[in-house]
Amino acid sequence: MPGQAQHRLTVVVLAGVTILLAALTLHARRQTSDMIVLKLAHGLDSTHPVHISMEYMAKRVFEKSGGGMRIDIFPSEQLGSERECTEQVQLGSLDMTKSSTTALEPFIPEMGVFTLPYMFRDSEHYWEVVNGEIGDEILAAGLPVGLHGLCYFDAGSRSFYATHPIESPADFRGKKIRVQQSPTAMAMIHALGGAPTPIPFGELYTALQQGVVDGAENNAPSLLTSRHYEVAKYFALNEHAYVPDALIMSEVVWRNLPPDAQRHLAEAADEAAVFQRDLWAKMSAEAIETLKEAGVTVTHPDKQPFVDAVRPMLSAPKHPAVERLVQKILAQ
Ligand code: GCU
């Protein structure tokens, strides 16, 4: 009967389509499960040069792996503060993070050496250290605590900004100054005569706005992209520290990656670090101009009173590993 035959044909066709769909789904699933997807979280804005450089790294990883590896980036503390992200990376529940080396000090004491004020003679001295044996040694110091350092990113020099003008350390008296969660950063504000207040970067805008703190310190691109300048209009370029950012991977996750994936990632991170240094130079010069145009008072205070106030920090007792690094850096 034509009716029955038609019905049987429909059933056969439907069964065929179902099998085909199942096969396609399986194939797609296999493809997704074959693809390595890494999650990278950090606290900076997506317009920040460090974020842009990590996007570049993600693009290079994708290309190098022939589409077999992807990095999904979550900016602006979406997955937590630098401290929280680093904790997740240690556990392996987050694959990668990018943190200021200052915020890494509680995990890796050696990282604290960058936060020591006026540690480096100039930016050449700083780059020799960062790109040399000492920089490698500091990155590798995270391994025993599950933090696999991939590269550094330039974060320029840090200077103070506040809701009041800053000309000398006398202007810190009685003032609350936000610091990153680092014993060395706390000690620096004490040495300058202020009251250090540790606050995650993402909470700082409101803290400045509501007068919880009177000032903070950072580089120009971070001051600009965080929009802190809207509520703290005095930026004094005293350049007390060169503190790089570091790209950190979970050692557990790293060890479980196939060798070619490790290679693609390491190469892409190195390429991103080179790319970032150029981008940083351009964007940090532009940031100063944009800040001025936005009504920020940018000054160049005499650095000597700042240097004198924090000098005792260099000879104060330190973690033995940090002490050794200080001596090495001074001798370089
Ligand atoms: C810099 C650094 C960030 C850090 C911030 C801070 O902007 O790049 O990683 O979070 O300083 O002061 O917390």
Side-chain angles (χ1 to χ4, degrees), residues 3-23:
Q4 266 182 350
Q6 215 168 25
H7 177 70
R8 209 174 303 129
L9 185 67
T10 313
V11 170
V12 170
V13 168
L14 276 179
V17 168
T18 312
I19 291 168
L20 189 67
L21 275 179

Side-chain angles (χ1 to χ4, degrees), residues 44 82 98-100 158 178 180 201 217-219 222 245:
L44 296 168
E82 292 196 328
K98 189 290 306 163
S99 171
S100 166
R158 295 178 77 95
R178 178 268 175 172
Q180 299 178 75
F201 192 57
E217 40 85 64
N218 220 316
N219 52 56
S222 298
D245 280 356

Side-chain angles (χ1 to χ4, degrees), residues 24-290:
L24 281 177
T25 315
L26 195 70
H27 179 65
R29 210 181 298 138
R30 224 182 270 142
Q31 272 194 336
T32 346
S33 67
D34 280 353
M35 179 163 202
I36 299 172
V37 182
L38 298 173
K39 238 195 241 177
L40 161 56
H42 69 93
L44 296 168
D45 189 79
S46 59
T47 57
H48 193 285
V50 171
H51 176 87
I52 296 172
S53 305
M54 291 190 291
E55 279 181 336
Y56 174 78
M57 173 180 73
K59 177 175 158 279
R60 293 298 293 132
V61 158
F62 192 76
E63 287 166 358
K64 281 172 186 287
S65 63
M69 192 170 178
R70 200 179 80 211
I71 302 178
D72 292 344
I73 311 181
F74 299 84
S76 309
E77 292 191 10
Q78 281 174 46
L79 302 189
S81 66
E82 292 196 328
R83 191 194 184 105
E84 289 160 347
C85 285
T86 306
E87 283 166 357
Q88 293 174 53
V89 166
Q90 265 188 320
L91 295 173
S93 55
L94 175 65
D95 304 310
M96 303 167 84
T97 191
K98 189 290 306 163
S99 171
S100 166
T101 50
T102 297
L104 290 171
E105 184 186 359
F107 301 88
I108 311 167
E110 286 83 345
M111 292 281 179
V113 80
F114 293 118
T115 310
L116 281 168
Y118 301 108
M119 177 72 249
F120 302 97
R121 286 187 299 278
D122 46 34
S123 77
E124 261 170 48
H125 182 208
Y126 164 74
W127 280 111
E128 267 175 33
V129 169
V130 171
N131 285 340
E133 203 187 289
I134 304 180
D136 290 346
E137 182 186 332
I138 300 174
L139 260 194
L143 274 184
V145 291
L147 300 173
H148 184 108
L150 284 173
C151 69
Y152 292 106
F153 287 123
D154 194 359
S157 59
R158 295 178 77 95
S159 293
F160 286 100
Y161 57 95
T163 49
H164 62 281
I166 296 171
E167 278 161 26
S168 79
D171 298 310
F172 292 114
R173 220 168 289 140
K175 301 289 184 192
K176 288 188 282 319
I177 307 297
R178 178 268 175 172
V179 287
Q180 299 178 75
Q181 291 175 300
S182 133
T184 306
M186 301 267 291
M188 172 179 71
I189 302 301
H190 276 304
L192 290 167
T197 311
I199 295 179
F201 192 57
E203 291 167 32
L204 183 50
Y205 186 100
T206 317
L208 284 162
Q209 190 178 39
Q210 297 182 348
V212 174
V213 289
D214 305 293
E217 40 85 64
N218 220 316
N219 52 56
S222 298
L223 174 57
L224 179 69
T225 56
S226 62
R227 305 196 340 269
H228 294 168
Y229 69 89
E230 292 174 359
V231 284
K233 293 209 168 291
Y234 297 92
F235 190 30
L237 295 173
N238 68 307
E239 301 187 302
H240 53 270
Y242 288 96
V243 177
D245 280 356
L247 182 64
I248 303 287
M249 168 122 203
S250 167
E251 175 60 9
V252 187
V253 177
W254 174 264
R255 261 193 275 117
N256 283 311
L257 286 180
D260 57 340
Q262 291 182 342
R263 187 167 42 83
H264 295 144
L265 195 53
E267 285 174 7
D270 288 347
E271 286 176 25
V274 173
F275 171 92
Q276 192 260 349
R277 225 180 125 177
D278 278 346
L279 185 66
W280 182 271
K282 186 173 156 284
M283 286 185 78
S284 59
E286 283 170 6
I288 298 268
E289 292 317 308
T290 314

